[in-house]
């Protein structure tokens, strides 16, 4: 039992040494930290003093070898990077009072689910652009969240408007129209059913015709709001095929 206690104490000491090493950017700095002013005075040679520390003749006597130091340093950096990657990201809508803005409030409610891939939402917007022209379009919310900073929208410094690069865009004055597939949806146009969007994950089709049902695992929500001429959100719960 006494031997076991000694062994655990030694492991603890080594762990402390390893943790101590992580404070330093380079192995040389780590060695230098264990050289006393007296060592330098007598040896008068920093490289020699470092070699003696590395060999265990100076410092604590329990010095990490270069390979051990670099391996621990790398492991610590990887752990730190992994922690940052996995840290929950602050939502763009966090701490914003959107109680008087029904459209933005609905976007905020969906933000976390859409960012996590549990929900996909297609936003239909119809309103006047900065030139006073009426435009409309279907927006892949997840794709826009990924490619744009949404904080200015939730802060009402910018207005979310359809773009020619969205799933579908139409300028009612110039009659300019575009359609583009995104990483989440394939646009199916020019068919009897009108405009359809196929979810690339579960292959389900969303029908945006108000006279038709939207499709499996989908629902259509009309948002009554003063913010735009017309707002409709199509929510689709994604279920990957097994």
């Amino acid at each position: 039992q006494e031997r076991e206690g000694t062994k655990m104490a030694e492991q603890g000491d080594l762990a402390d040494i390893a943790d101590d090493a992580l404070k330093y950017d380079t192995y040389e700095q780590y060695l230098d930290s264990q050289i006393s002013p007296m060592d330098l005075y007598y040896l008068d040679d920093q490289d020699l003093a470092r070699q003696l520390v590395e060999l265990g003749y100076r410092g604590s006597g329990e010095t990490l070898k270069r390979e051990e130091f670099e391996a621990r340093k790398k492991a610590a950096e990887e752990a730190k990077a992994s922690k940052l990657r996995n840290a929950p990201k602050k939502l763009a809508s966090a701490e914003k009072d959107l109680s008087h803005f029904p459209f933005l409030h609905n976007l905020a409610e969906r933000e976390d689910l859409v960012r996590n891939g549990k929900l996909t939402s297609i936003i239909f917007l119809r309103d006047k652009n900065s030139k006073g022209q009426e435009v409309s379009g279907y927006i892949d919310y997840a794709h826009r969240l990924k490619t744009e900073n949404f904080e200015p929208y939730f802060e009402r410094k910018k207005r979310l408007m359809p773009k020619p690069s969205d799933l579908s865009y139409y300028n009612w004055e110039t009659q300019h129209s575009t359609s583009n597939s995104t990483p989440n949806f394939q646009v199916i146009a020019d068919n009897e059913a009108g405009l359809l969007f196929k979810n690339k994950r579960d292959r389900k089709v969303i029908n945006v015709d108000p006279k038709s049902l939207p499709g499996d695992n989908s629902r259509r929500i009309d948002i009554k709001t003063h913010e735009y001429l017309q707002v409709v959100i199509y929510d689709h719960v994604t279920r990957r095929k097994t």
Side-chain angles (χ1 to χ4, degrees):
Q1 199 171 8
E2 193 177 319
R3 189 180 293 172
E4 195 67 34
T6 309
K7 190 178 176 184
M8 284 177 71
E10 283 173 1
Q11 286 173 343
D13 289 345
L14 284 171
D16 289 343
I17 292 158
D19 290 342
D20 194 47
L22 300 177
K23 297 175 192 171
Y24 305 99
D25 293 330
T26 66
Y27 186 60
E28 284 67 31
Q29 286 176 5
Y30 165 63
L31 294 177
D32 288 347
S33 72
Q34 300 193 52
I35 300 170
S36 71
M38 194 66 78
D39 289 336
L40 272 180
Y41 176 77
Y42 282 114
L43 295 168
D44 196 26
D45 185 335
Q46 193 165 23
D47 288 337
L48 177 59
R50 283 175 181 166
Q51 285 171 26
L52 291 175
V53 170
E54 194 172 354
L55 291 168
Y57 292 116
R58 287 288 183 275
S60 65
E62 289 285 355
T63 309
L64 292 173
K65 298 294 179 201
R66 185 180 290 273
E67 295 76 19
E68 292 172 313
F69 174 87
E70 285 171 0
R72 287 180 186 277
K73 196 84 180 155
K74 188 181 177 187
E77 281 164 6
E78 284 171 359
K80 190 178 176 184
S82 174
K83 193 176 177 184
L84 284 172
R85 272 196 305 273
N86 298 326
K89 290 182 174 66
K90 188 184 174 188
L91 296 175
S93 58
E95 297 160 23
K96 312 284 190 300
D97 180 12
L98 304 169
S99 52
H100 300 296
F101 303 91
F103 170 59
L104 290 176
H105 177 72
N106 272 273
L107 289 193
E109 282 187 330
R110 289 161 173 77
E111 186 187 359
D112 190 34
L113 288 171
V114 170
R115 283 191 189 276
N116 291 329
K118 292 173 184 171
L119 180 76
T120 52
S121 297
I122 294 172
I123 305 158
F124 174 77
L125 291 179
R126 183 169 64 86
D127 207 35
K128 294 197 171 172
N129 65 15
S130 56
K131 294 177 182 174
Q133 301 164 333
E134 191 171 308
V135 297
S136 62
Y138 291 90
I139 297 166
D140 177 353
Y141 185 29
H143 185 52
R144 282 278 207 113
L145 273 175
K146 202 167 185 179
T147 55
E148 280 186 63
N149 174 16
F150 258 66
E151 212 154 342
Y153 294 125
F154 288 119
E155 288 170 343
R156 303 191 316 283
K157 290 175 182 173
K158 274 174 80 177
R159 290 184 81 233
L160 185 67
M161 286 292 285
K163 294 179 180 180
S165 56
D166 282 316
L167 283 168
S168 175
Y169 170 87
Y170 186 64
N171 184 313
W172 293 83
E173 189 172 305
T174 65
Q175 297 190 345
H176 174 60
S177 69
T178 62
S179 65
N180 309 276
S181 293
T182 68
N184 307 302
F185 292 101
Q186 179 190 340
V187 180
I188 305 170
D190 304 322
N191 66 78
E192 288 174 18
L195 195 61
L196 302 172
F197 300 107
K198 185 193 270 191
N199 185 286
K200 289 183 178 179
R201 190 176 184 188
D202 63 9
R203 319 295 293 167
K204 300 286 185 186
V205 172
I206 298 168
N207 189 335
V208 293
D209 181 350
K211 298 184 188 75
S212 304
L213 291 170
D216 292 346
N217 308 329
S218 298
R219 63 183 187 134
R220 181 184 197 273
I221 304 106
D222 283 279
I223 311 291
K224 303 297 176 204
T225 178
H226 61 280
E227 298 157 277
Y228 294 85
L229 292 174
Q230 188 182 2
V231 179
V232 184
I233 297 177
Y234 297 85
D235 284 334
H236 180 73
V237 178
T238 46
R239 292 175 186 173
R240 193 192 293 277
K241 276 193 167 184
T242 51

